[in-house]
Amino acid sequence: MHRRHFLQLTIAACVAAGMSGCSRSDPLRTGIHPWIGYEPLYLAEEFGWLPATVQLVKGQAASDSIGGLISGNLDAAALTLDETLRVLAAGVPVKAVAVTNVSVGADVLLVRPEITGLSGLRGRRVAVELGGVSGILLFSVLERAGLTSNDISVVDLPVNEHIRAWQRGDIDASISYEPEASRLVAEGAVRLFDSSQLPETIFDLLVVTDAAASRQPAAVRDLVKGHFLGLQHLVRNMHDAVYRVATRQEVSPDMVRQSLANVMLPELLANHRYLTHNGRLEVVAKTLENIMVREGLMDKPLRYEHLTDPAFLPRSLP
Amino acid sequence: MIKALLSHCLVWLLLVAASVPAPVAAGDSVTLGVFAYRPDNVINERYQPLADYLTLETGMPVNLRVFNQDDMNRALAANQIDFFLTNPSHFLVIRSERSLTGALATLRRAWHGETTGSIGGVIITRAEREDINRLQDLEKKSIATPGLTYLGGYQAQALELVNAGVDVRRHNRMVFLGNHDRVIRSVLSGDTDVGFIRTGIYEELLSENPNLAGELKIINPQQLRGYPFVLSTRLYPEWPLVSLPHVDSRTVRRVASALFALEPEHAVAQAAGLAGFSPPADYQSVEMLTRTLRMPPYDQVPRVTWVDILHQYRNWVITVAVLFVLLVITSLWLGRKKKQLASEERRLRSLIASWPQPMLMIRNGELVDCNRAAVDLVGYTSEASLLGKSLAAFSPHSQPDGTPSSQKSEALFARVTAGEVSQTEWLFVRSDGARVWVAMTLAPVYEHDSDIPSVLCSWHDITRRKQAEEQQRLALRVFKNAREAIFITDAHGVVMDINEAYTQITGRDHKSAIGSLPPMPVDEGSAILVAANRHGVWSGEFAARHQEGQAIVLNLTLSSVLDEQGELSHFVGVFSDITRQKEIEKQLRIMAHYDALTNLPNRVLFSDRLHQSMAQARRQNYRLAVIYIDLDQFKPVNDAFGHDAGDGLLVEVARRMRSTLREEDSLARLGGDEFAAIIVNVPDAATLDVLLSRLLTVIAEPVWVANHSVEVSASMGYTLYPQGEEIDGDQLLRQADQAMYRAKREGKNRYCCFQDADA
C-alpha cells in the first residue's frame, strides 16, 4: 500500500540488522506518572499499540521518573521541560523526542477562598513540588506579584500529598495540577492563577537518554508512535477515551473533560514545529534555564548542543 | 389526561399553522422518524412524548413514525421524513446516500441519575456457558445480532473481536434478528451461543425482569468509571438527530432549540429515558470503525486512480518511467547488437565451415564443433557423426611412436588446457581404413562460461609428405646399405657422393673419393661417360686396382641422369667387386678339363686339344700321332696294395710319361689306367718309334709304392694324321684304341700302329 512506508521499514530493518542484537532483548524502559498529557501513552498501552520494545514504568510523580533517569534505571520518561533541564543538570544527557502537551491552565495555583489576589500570598504557606514544573509556576507567580521566595513560606511537598495537607489545614495555597487540582477544588480551593497566563511555557515532553537513542532508535520510534496513536484515539474517540482516563485517574468523566480543556495536545505537525532546532521549545528552555539558575534551582548553565530531536517522529499515522 | 390535552393543543396548533402562509414549513406538519431498535410499541411509547413536546415547543405538529432500517431508508428516499433519529452507523449510511451535512444534535441518555452521550456494545451469553469467558472464546460460536448496520448491536463488538483475532464475519454463524429484544430471547433460549446488544438494553430489560442478571453474563466487561451501563467494547458517540435538507432552516432552528432546551428532569426526557440532547458529537470514530470493518458506507475499497498515484508518487513514477525508457532503449540497442553479433557469428561460422583447412573444437576431450574439411579428412559423411567423439575414435590403437592414441591425446589436452599451444603429428584412420597423417595444432580457447578452456584444433594433411619422406628414407637406406658400390657424379664425371660399399671395394674413403673420378676401365677411360650419355647406360667388367695395390675386377653399370630440361646433370654408377667370382670361374674351368689325380688334361681337354692340333696340322701341313696307352697288370697292384698304392703308381707313371714327351706334345688321362697323348710335328716313323720305345721303358721301370717295388708295363696303339680321307678327332682316338687292343692281344708291353684291319 505505502511504498514509502515499505522503504522506511526496509531501511529501518537494515539499520536494525546493522546494529548488534544486544539492543533487541531489553525494552525501552519509560518512566511515566499520572498526568492528562501522558494519557495517550496509557491508552496506547491499554489498546496494545505499544510493542514489546517499550515498557512503561509507572511512577506516582515526576520525581520517580527523574530519579530513574539519573540512576540509569530508565531509558526514557515523560517529563516537563524544566524537569528535563534538571535531569540535564544532573549530568544525564537526554533529548526531547516529542511534545506531549502544552499546558494552558493545567498547572494551577489554588488558594483558600479568603485569598483573592496574588499579593495575598505574602506570608502564606504555599505547598509546591519544587522539583517539578510547579516550582516554575511559583517563581513566575511571585515575579508577577512582585514577591520573592523569601516573602512566603514554601512547603516543598509532592503533589499527591497536597490534598491531605490541605485537609489538615497545613497549607494555605497549593500549586497543583490535574487530577489533584480537581480534588482540591472539590475541597473548596479556589483557582487564583494558572499556566494559561504563561502561554507556551510549560511543555510536557517525552525524553530519552542519548545512550538509549543511539542504542535503540527503533524502540524510541515505537514509543513516540505509541504516544501519537493514543493521542489519535483520545482526539477522535473522546467519547471512549474520557471514560478510560476517568477510570484510571479515578475521577469523573466530566473532570477529565475539564482537564483536557486545560492542555493543548499538539499533533504531529505541531510537534515537528516545536522540535525544530532553535524552535520554540529550545528558546523556552533557554529562558527557563536562566530563571532556574537565578533562583538557585540549578548550579550553573547547561552545556548541550541540541535539546530536541525530531528524527523519531513518525512520518505519518494510519 | 395529559395526552388528551396535548392532542387538543395539537389540533389547535395545526389550525394556526394552516392559517400561516407557506414559508413556515415544507408541509403543514413535521415528521420525525425514529429507528426502532426495540419493538415498535416500546419505541412508540417512549418517543411519542418527545414528538408531542416538539409539537408544543415549535408550534408545528410533529408526527412520530417508527421505522425499521429498511422502511426508514424507503421513507427517506420518498422524502416522507423531515427529521430522524437513528444509530450512528445507520446515520453514516444515510449520510453517504443523501449527502447530508451533519447531525443536528446528539442524544444523551440517563440511567439512575447518570447521563452519558456515549454508546457501546455488549456481548452476552448465558451465565452457565463455562466455555465462553473471553473474546477469543467466541471463535466459531453462533451469534445473534439485530443486524449489520447497528453500532452497538454489531459493529462495536466486531471491531473488538477483530482486534482480538476473531473475524466474526468469516468464521461465525451470524443470526440477524432485527432488534435487541429478540437477540436476548435467542440467547436465553439457547438458539445462539452469544448475543450482541447495545449498551442500555441490558439494564432496561433487567429492570423489567431482575432474574436476567443470574441468567446472563457479560463478556469482556469494561469497568469505566462514570459510565452507567455494562459494556463490552469501547465507546462511541450516541445517536444523532438529523434534519433533512428539504426542511427549511427556520423549522430546523426551532426544533434544535426545543431539543437543546430539553432538561434531563423533564417529563418527556424521563419517559424516553433521555437526558436531553447535546451539540452534535464528532462521528469520526464511527467512521473509522466502519472503515476498519469495511462496512457500508465504507464497504468499497477506495478506488485509487492513476492520477492519485501520479500525484502521490510523482518522483517515483518519473524515476520508474525514466528507468523504463532507458531499459527499452537499452533493450533495443542490445537487440540490434545481438542481431549484428548473430550475423557476424553466422559469417564467421560459414567462413570456418567452408575453410579448406580442417578445424575442430574440443571440450573435455569430446568434439563439439568441426567444419566440413575436417569431416572430409576423416572420411565421415556429416558433422553430426563426428560430434561427441574423442580424437582416439579416429585414430589407430597406438600412434607410430608406440603410445596408445587415447593416452597420448589426453596428455596433449592436459598440456593445452594448462595454457600451452601445442603442435604434433598425428595418425588418423579414415572410415575406409586408409591412414592419414596430420600435422595438428592445438590451442586453448577461453570461453566466458567455463573455467576449463576448450581446445581449438586445426589439422593439416601431411600424408603425401610423409610418404615421400618414407621413400626417401628407404632410398637412403638402399644407398647406404647396398653391397654394391654406388656413386653419383656431376655431368663431368667427378664424384659427388659415394656409399659405404664404394669405400670397401675401392679402399678409398669418402674424403678422397669425393672430387675425383670413379674407377674406369684403363683402356676406355672417360669414353664410357660419353657412351653412357649417348645410350643412357653403359655396363661392363674391367680390372682395376685397390687403393692398397691388389688387383680387383669390377662390374660397373653407369647411368646418365637428366634434369627437367633433358640436359645431362648427373651420372649414377653401381659397381660390384667380381674378383672372387672370376677366380672361382677359373678354378671351375680347370676342374672341368684336368684330371685331379695326375693333373693331366682329361678326356674333354684332350678332345679339345686334339681338334686344335688337327687344325694346326692341316694348316701347317705336318703330321701328328695319337697314342692310346693302357697299363698292363694295373688291377692286381690295386687289389694287392690298395687304391692309394694304385693312385701312387698312376701318378708316378704319368710323371715319367710326361717328362718323356716334348713340351708341345699333350698327355691326358682318359680314365682308370688309360692315357692318351698327342705327338705333334712327327717328322718320320723312326722318331716316333724311339719315342714309343722310351715310353715303354720308363713305364716298365719299377715303382716304389706302399713300401713295395712294383713293376707294370703298358700296351700302346697309335695312329697318324692326316690320313687319306678326312677324319675327326674321335675317330682318330678310336683308331689308336683299336691299335692298343691289338698290342694287348699280341702279348702286351708293346706298341702297334693302326691298320685298317683293326677297324
Side-chain angles (χ1 to χ4, degrees):
Chain A
M1 49 162 190
H2 295 125
R3 170 162 277 183
R4 191 176 287 173
H5 187 208
F6 170 75
L7 281 176
Q8 282 172 2
L9 283 177
T10 313
I11 292 163
C14 290
V15 168
M19 297 178 52
S20 64
C22 66
S23 61
R24 285 255 150 225
S25 50
D26 302 329
L28 188 78
R29 291 170 59 80
T30 308
I32 189 169
H33 57 277
W35 164 238
I36 186 68
Y38 308 151
E39 278 302 328
L41 272 178
Y42 285 107
L43 285 172
E45 190 192 35
E46 187 171 349
F47 284 105
W49 296 328
L50 279 181
T53 50
V54 180
Q55 182 195 354
L56 293 186
V57 180
K58 291 159 193 165
Q60 280 307 308
S63 50
D64 296 334
S65 295
I66 296 170
L69 281 177
I70 292 170
S71 69
N73 283 337
L74 296 177
D75 303 313
L79 292 176
T80 58
L81 177 57
D82 62 293
E83 287 158 355
T84 306
L85 295 179
R86 277 179 233 265
V87 173
L88 278 169
V92 179
V94 292
K95 57 180 66 166
V97 293
V99 176
T100 61
N101 68 283
V102 186
S103 215
V104 281
D107 295 283
V108 61
L109 171 63
L110 295 163
V111 293
R112 300 271 176 196
E114 60 266 27
I115 303 172
T116 55
L118 288 180
S119 55
L121 285 173
R122 186 186 294 272
R124 298 287 187 166
R125 290 162 297 169
V126 181
V128 65
E129 191 178 305
L130 267 183
V133 71
S134 310
I136 303 303
L137 189 72
L138 174 65
F139 295 122
S140 302
V141 166
L142 291 176
E143 203 169 23
R144 288 213 173 186
L147 302 171
T148 68
S149 43
N150 297 327
D151 296 332
I152 58 166
S153 169
V154 175
V155 182
D156 191 357
L157 199 64
V159 166
N160 54 338
E161 291 172 19
H162 287 199
I163 183 79
R164 272 188 289 152
W166 181 275
Q167 284 162 345
R168 285 197 302 268
D170 290 348
I171 53 174
D172 303 314
S174 158
I175 294 187
S176 179
Y177 48 84
E178 298 297 348
E180 295 301 321
S182 295
R183 292 205 179 95
L184 286 167
V185 169
E187 292 287 327
V190 173
R191 287 169 170 262
L192 193 63
F193 188 90
D194 63 39
S195 53
S196 63
Q197 288 156 280
L198 302 168
E200 286 201 321
T201 301
I202 301 180
F203 289 94
D204 277 280
L205 312 169
L206 288 180
V207 300
V208 296
T209 62
D210 284 3
S214 60
R215 192 178 67 237
Q216 296 163 272
V220 174
R221 239 173 253 122
D222 289 339
L223 171 71
V224 175
K225 187 168 186 186
H227 162 74
F228 281 105
L229 288 174
L231 178 61
Q232 191 166 268
H233 183 78
L234 183 67
V235 172
R236 278 192 193 161
N237 212 345
M238 199 171 278
H239 279 263
D240 184 67
V242 286
Y243 284 103
R244 294 183 191 277
V245 175
T247 305
R248 185 172 28 261
Q249 296 193 347
E250 296 172 1
V251 295
S252 72
D254 282 335
M255 280 176 149
V256 175
R257 288 195 190 90
Q258 264 180 31
S259 305
L260 282 171
N262 290 330
V263 290
M264 290 197 314
L265 301 165
E267 41 113 46
L268 198 51
L269 278 175
N271 255 282
H272 275 289
R273 190 157 47 80
Y274 282 133
L275 293 179
T276 312
H277 289 160
N278 302 319
R280 175 70 188 166
L281 191 59
E282 289 192 341
V283 171
V284 172
K286 211 34 127 181
T287 316
L288 254 183
E289 190 185 321
N290 293 338
I291 293 176
M292 289 168 83
V293 170
R294 195 186 63 216
E295 290 294 336
L297 292 172
M298 207 187 276
D299 299 340
K300 57 184 181 211
L302 298 170
R303 302 182 70 181
Y304 56 85
E305 194 178 347
H306 281 295
L307 183 65
T308 61
D309 189 351
F312 297 97
L313 294 174
R315 204 162 287 195
S316 64
L317 289 171
Chain B
M1 271 300 284
I2 293 171
K3 215 176 228 180
L5 178 70
L6 278 170
S7 58
H8 181 79
C9 290
L10 191 105
V11 174
W12 185 80
L13 273 169
L14 271 171
L15 289 170
V16 171
S19 66
V20 176
V24 176
D28 292 331
S29 63
V30 172
T31 305
L32 170 65
V34 176
F35 163 51
Y37 69 100
R38 293 199 60 193
D40 289 1
N41 57 330
V42 176
I43 300 298
N44 254 320
E45 196 178 305
R46 289 196 179 168
Y47 284 89
Q48 188 56 50
L50 178 66
D52 296 344
Y53 164 78
L54 287 174
T55 302
L56 193 66
E57 291 291 315
T58 60
M60 291 178 290
V62 174
N63 298 326
L64 175 69
R65 290 184 66 184
V66 176
F67 297 102
N68 63 23
Q69 288 188 350
D70 290 341
D71 291 343
M72 184 178 278
N73 290 345
R74 272 192 289 278
L76 283 166
N79 260 358
Q80 290 167 350
I81 303 175
D82 301 312
F83 295 90
F84 65 88
L85 187 63
T86 187
N87 78 52
S89 300
H90 191 207
F91 162 60
L92 290 181
V93 175
I94 296 168
R95 194 178 71 173
S96 80
E97 285 168 359
R98 296 293 309 259
S99 304
L100 300 182
T101 48
L104 196 60
T106 293
L107 190 70
R108 288 185 68 81
R109 287 179 198 277
W111 186 257
H112 294 315
E114 283 192 287
T115 68
T116 180
S118 299
I119 179 178
V122 184
I123 302 172
I124 54 166
T125 186
R126 286 197 310 288
E128 73 264 24
R129 286 298 292 257
E130 299 280 315
D131 57 328
I132 305 175
N133 292 308
R134 300 173 306 139
L135 290 178
Q136 284 81 359
D137 297 336
L138 264 66
E139 183 102 50
K140 310 239 166 96
K141 299 290 186 299
S142 62
I143 298 172
T145 164
L148 290 176
T149 326
Y150 285 70
L151 176 61
Y154 174 75
Q155 294 182 355
Q157 290 94 333
L159 182 71
E160 300 302 329
L161 285 165
V162 165
N163 288 342
V166 181
D167 190 347
V168 289
R169 289 165 296 173
R170 271 199 201 161
H171 302 301
N172 290 75
R173 186 170 70 86
M174 303 300 295
V175 181
F176 301 106
L177 298 173
N179 68 44
H180 297 277
D181 294 60
R182 288 186 205 147
V183 171
I184 302 247
R185 277 201 294 278
S186 170
V187 173
L188 286 173
S189 68
D191 290 346
T192 50
D193 300 319
V194 179
F196 289 174
I197 52 171
R198 56 153 291 165
T199 47
I201 302 287
Y202 178 76
E203 285 78 6
E204 285 176 24
L205 291 174
L206 207 61
S207 66
E208 293 165 16
N209 175 15
N211 294 334
L212 272 183
E215 292 178 43
L216 294 174
K217 66 175 175 184
I218 312 297
I219 306 301
N220 195 35
Q222 306 282 301
Q223 306 297 346
L224 292 186
R225 193 183 173 96
Y227 191 71
F229 305 117
V230 293
L231 175 71
S232 299
T233 69
R234 62 194 76 171
L235 290 168
Y236 301 91
E238 259 286 3
W239 287 24
L241 192 139
V242 187
S243 68
L244 282 138
H246 65 262
V247 184
D248 69 315
S249 60
R250 191 175 164 194
T251 310
V252 173
R253 274 203 315 276
R254 282 191 191 175
V255 170
S257 64
L259 287 173
F260 292 138
L262 189 63
E263 290 295 333
E265 298 78 23
H266 199 282
V268 170
Q270 297 277 335
L274 301 179
F277 289 86
S278 63
D282 183 357
Y283 288 94
Q284 202 186 181
S285 58
V286 185
E287 279 182 35
M288 292 308 296
L289 165 69
T290 45
R291 269 185 215 278
T292 309
L293 293 177
R294 288 264 165 82
M295 307 256 333
Y298 303 109
D299 50 347
Q300 294 300 314
V301 180
R303 188 174 292 254
V304 181
T305 65
W306 285 108
V307 178
D308 295 339
I309 293 173
L310 199 63
H311 277 297
Q312 179 110 28
Y313 301 110
R314 180 175 297 146
N315 290 339
W316 282 103
V317 168
I318 291 171
T319 310
V320 168
V322 167
L323 286 177
F324 182 75
V325 168
L326 283 177
L327 183 71
V328 167
I329 291 171
T330 314
S331 301
L332 287 173
W333 184 77
L334 277 177
R336 257 187 54 189
K337 280 283 162 199
K338 204 176 161 190
K339 212 182 272 178
Q340 281 178 0
L341 273 177
S343 74
E344 188 78 359
E345 193 191 332
R346 267 200 304 281
R347 207 168 61 78
L348 280 175
R349 188 162 279 280
S350 68
L351 195 67
I352 290 169
S354 57
W355 190 249
Q357 183 158 348
M359 288 170 99
L360 309 97
M361 278 296 264
I362 296 169
R363 196 177 296 141
N364 301 325
E366 285 181 359
L367 261 67
V368 292
D369 205 355
C370 67
N371 63 0
R372 188 68 225 169
V375 177
D376 291 341
L377 188 125
V378 291
Y380 276 64
T381 49
S382 71
E383 286 177 22
S385 56
L386 245 72
L387 301 185
K389 292 181 175 159
S390 66
L391 273 194
F394 319 109
S395 313
H397 176 262
S398 55
Q399 290 293 309
D401 62 0
T403 321
S405 295
S406 54
Q407 200 178 319
K408 193 172 179 182
S409 63
E410 274 166 26
L412 208 55
F413 289 141
R415 276 213 309 280
V416 174
T417 47
E420 203 177 298
V421 174
S422 180
Q423 276 187 316
T424 184
E425 287 181 358
W426 196 269
L427 185 60
F428 285 112
V429 178
R430 288 169 59 97
S431 59
D432 57 10
R435 299 196 154 210
V436 186
W437 272 101
V438 162
M440 185 156 68
T441 306
L442 300 108
V445 176
Y446 294 93
E447 286 170 314
H448 54 80
D449 54 349
S450 171
D451 295 342
I452 304 165
S454 297
V455 177
L456 177 65
C457 181
S458 89
W459 292 346
H460 182 62
D461 187 352
I462 54 164
T463 309
R464 290 176 66 180
R465 197 187 85 200
K466 274 284 177 185
Q467 284 170 347
E469 278 175 11
E470 187 69 20
Q471 277 181 337
Q472 206 170 355
R473 202 164 48 246
L474 270 174
L476 191 65
R477 185 174 293 173
V478 169
F479 181 74
K480 292 245 191 236
N481 299 343
R483 295 187 58 190
E484 284 77 19
I486 301 171
F487 62 90
I488 301 165
T489 73
D490 61 8
H492 306 291
V494 177
V495 172
M496 296 163 69
D497 198 5
I498 60 167
N499 68 352
E500 192 65 23
Y502 188 100
T503 306
Q504 280 174 8
I505 291 171
T506 62
R508 304 171 75 167
D509 61 10
H510 194 269
K511 207 167 139 191
S512 62
I514 303 295
S516 60
L517 288 172
M520 291 180 196
V522 177
D523 44 357
E524 288 179 84
S526 54
I528 63 167
L529 295 176
V530 179
N533 188 19
R534 188 177 300 149
H535 305 292
V537 66
W538 179 93
S539 69
E541 295 175 359
F542 56 91
R545 199 155 286 278
H546 191 271
Q547 185 75 2
E548 289 164 7
Q550 65 267 37
I552 48 173
V553 182
L554 300 179
N555 181 9
L556 169 68
T557 303
L558 188 67
S559 309
S560 60
V561 178
L562 303 181
D563 63 13
E564 282 160 10
Q565 281 79 40
E567 296 289 324
L568 176 74
S569 65
H570 297 90
F571 289 104
V572 174
V574 179
F575 62 86
S576 50
D577 183 357
I578 55 170
T579 312
R580 261 182 70 78
Q581 249 167 288
K582 284 288 171 191
E583 275 174 13
I584 289 165
E585 247 173 57
K586 195 171 154 192
Q587 279 177 356
L588 281 174
R589 210 162 43 243
I590 291 167
M591 279 162 69
H593 291 94
Y594 291 88
D595 172 39
L597 184 68
T598 58
N599 281 333
L600 294 178
N602 61 9
R603 184 187 293 271
V604 179
L605 186 57
F606 177 80
S607 155
D608 196 32
R609 285 196 181 166
L610 182 59
H611 279 291
Q612 288 176 16
S613 299
M614 282 164 75
Q616 202 174 0
R618 276 196 306 276
R619 228 173 15 251
Q620 297 182 1
N621 197 25
Y622 64 75
R623 286 198 293 183
L624 64 81
V626 174
I627 308 167
Y628 204 102
I629 305 159
D630 186 87
L631 296 185
D632 306 323
Q633 277 85 37
F634 176 71
K635 197 167 177 333
V637 175
N638 228 8
D639 293 345
F641 304 109
H643 286 288
D644 286 344
D647 287 352
L649 176 66
L650 288 175
V651 170
E652 180 56 27
V653 170
R655 193 193 59 80
R656 289 178 190 171
M657 286 194 288
R658 182 65 255 182
S659 60
T660 303
L661 296 174
R662 291 174 303 177
E663 188 65 31
E664 57 266 36
D665 301 334
S666 293
L667 178 68
R669 185 181 172 217
L670 297 181
D673 54 353
E674 291 175 358
F675 297 87
I678 301 164
I679 311 299
V680 298
N681 205 10
V682 177
D684 49 35
T687 313
L688 190 61
D689 285 339
V690 170
L691 180 65
L692 290 168
S693 302
R694 211 171 50 237
L695 279 175
L696 286 175
T697 308
V698 295
I699 290 166
E701 283 173 8
V703 178
W704 187 256
V705 291
N707 295 325
H708 292 88
S709 179
V710 178
E711 287 181 20
V712 292
S713 63
S715 300
M716 294 187 284
Y718 72 91
T719 186
L720 292 171
Y721 182 86
Q723 295 172 6
E725 55 196 75
E726 194 50 48
I727 193 167
D728 67 7
D730 288 344
Q731 288 172 323
L732 208 55
L733 189 61
R734 204 174 304 122
Q735 286 173 358
D737 185 27
Q738 286 163 354
M740 185 275 287
Y741 269 102
R742 193 156 52 82
K744 284 271 186 193
R745 276 195 308 269
E746 289 176 0
K748 303 179 182 172
N749 198 23
R750 67 192 69 226
Y751 58 88
C752 292
C753 182
F754 176 72
Q755 295 164 351
D756 289 338
D758 295 335

